[in-house]
């Protein structure tokens, strides 16, 4: 059976989920499809293109129906956090301008190009830090109590994510920190 481009991207995302970005090689993707690595090059010219297609799939549908830049960023963060190393894949594709960013275009329509880039860079960075924190916690590598640290300037009763219309998530202090930073950026943009 001949594989389609969608099959290749799906296989790459399975490898990403199982092995992480560091070990998501063309050879592993080919093995996942039970083909020779050279067969992948009928669909993608190189790993960078595959990475861009993976990023597009991770963020597929983000922000399409939203007019609130804060909610778009929350939706983007959620999409990236749903996939192992998803934030790193999407951030890398964006940094190297691999492919087109529908999310960036949507944000630019709402807050201008510079505002969109600022929101994206903040969202990517915070999502990467959150994924790293979660991976460290899963491996037992966090210092006891370090994941419970609170921002001394934060109102312990406030729920900024809820104020933006989002439901609280399990990593509440990481989510609250993201929402506070997002609020600061949006305030600076006059939103």
């Amino acid at each position: 059976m001949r594989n389609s481009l969608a099959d290749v991207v799906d296989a790459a995302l399975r490898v990403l989920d199982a092995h992480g970005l560091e070990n998501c090689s063309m050879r592993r993707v080919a093995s996942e499809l039970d083909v020779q690595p050279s067969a992948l090059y009928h669909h993608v010219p190189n790993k960078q293109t595959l990475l861009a297609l993976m990023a597009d799939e991770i963020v597929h549908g983000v922000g399409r129906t939203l007019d609130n830049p804060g909610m778009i960023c929350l939706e983007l963060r959620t999409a990236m956090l749903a996939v192992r190393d998803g934030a790193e894949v999407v951030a890398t594709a964006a940094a190297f301008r691999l492919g087109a960013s529908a999310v960036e275009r949507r944000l630019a329509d709402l807050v201008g190009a510079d505002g969109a880039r600022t929101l994206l860079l903040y969202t990517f960075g915070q999502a990467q830090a959150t994924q790293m924190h979660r991976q460290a916690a899963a491996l037992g590598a966090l210092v006891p109590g370090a994941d419970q640290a609170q921002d001394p300037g934060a109102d312990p009763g406030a729920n900024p994510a809820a104020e933006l219309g989002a439901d609280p998530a399990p990593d509440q202090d990481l989510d609250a920190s993201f929402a506070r930073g997002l609020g600061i950026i949006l305030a600076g943009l006059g939103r």
Side-chain angles (χ1 to χ4, degrees):
M1 181 175 133
R2 187 178 166 132
N3 292 301
S4 68
L5 177 59
D7 294 331
V8 172
V9 174
D10 288 344
L13 289 170
R14 287 193 304 274
V15 170
L16 177 69
D17 188 50
H19 302 284
L21 182 58
E22 183 176 311
N23 296 305
C24 186
S25 66
M26 295 295 270
R27 185 173 303 280
R28 273 213 166 104
V29 173
S31 178
E32 178 74 17
L33 292 168
D34 200 27
V35 299
Q36 293 296 315
S38 60
L40 298 180
Y41 296 100
H42 293 285
H43 301 286
V44 293
N46 52 46
K47 185 175 177 182
Q48 292 78 12
T49 301
L50 181 57
L51 188 71
L53 293 168
M54 292 164 65
D56 288 346
E57 186 62 29
I58 291 167
V59 302
H60 180 76
V62 169
R64 286 191 179 164
T65 62
L66 299 172
D67 289 326
N68 178 325
M71 289 304 299
I72 293 170
C73 290
L74 285 168
E75 195 173 273
L76 173 61
R77 180 178 179 265
T78 299
M80 291 187 296
L81 292 177
V83 177
R84 178 178 177 178
D85 293 339
E88 190 172 351
V89 169
V90 175
T92 300
F96 290 105
R97 297 295 201 192
L98 303 172
S101 175
V103 175
E104 186 170 358
R105 282 193 307 274
R106 181 72 187 118
L107 284 169
D109 288 344
L110 298 169
V111 296
D114 290 339
R117 198 78 186 135
T118 300
L119 286 167
L120 286 178
L121 292 173
Y122 172 71
T123 303
F124 295 157
Q126 206 279 347
Q128 285 177 300
T130 299
Q131 283 191 315
M132 190 180 306
H133 177 87
R134 288 178 179 178
Q135 290 169 1
L139 294 171
L142 292 179
V143 175
D147 60 336
Q148 302 300 317
Q150 289 289 326
D151 178 353
D155 175 2
N159 186 343
E163 290 172 20
L164 287 170
D167 292 330
D171 298 316
Q172 209 152 5
D173 51 325
L174 294 170
D175 294 343
S177 173
F178 173 72
R180 284 191 305 275
L182 186 57
I184 291 166
I185 295 169
L186 291 171
L189 292 170
R191 298 293 297 193

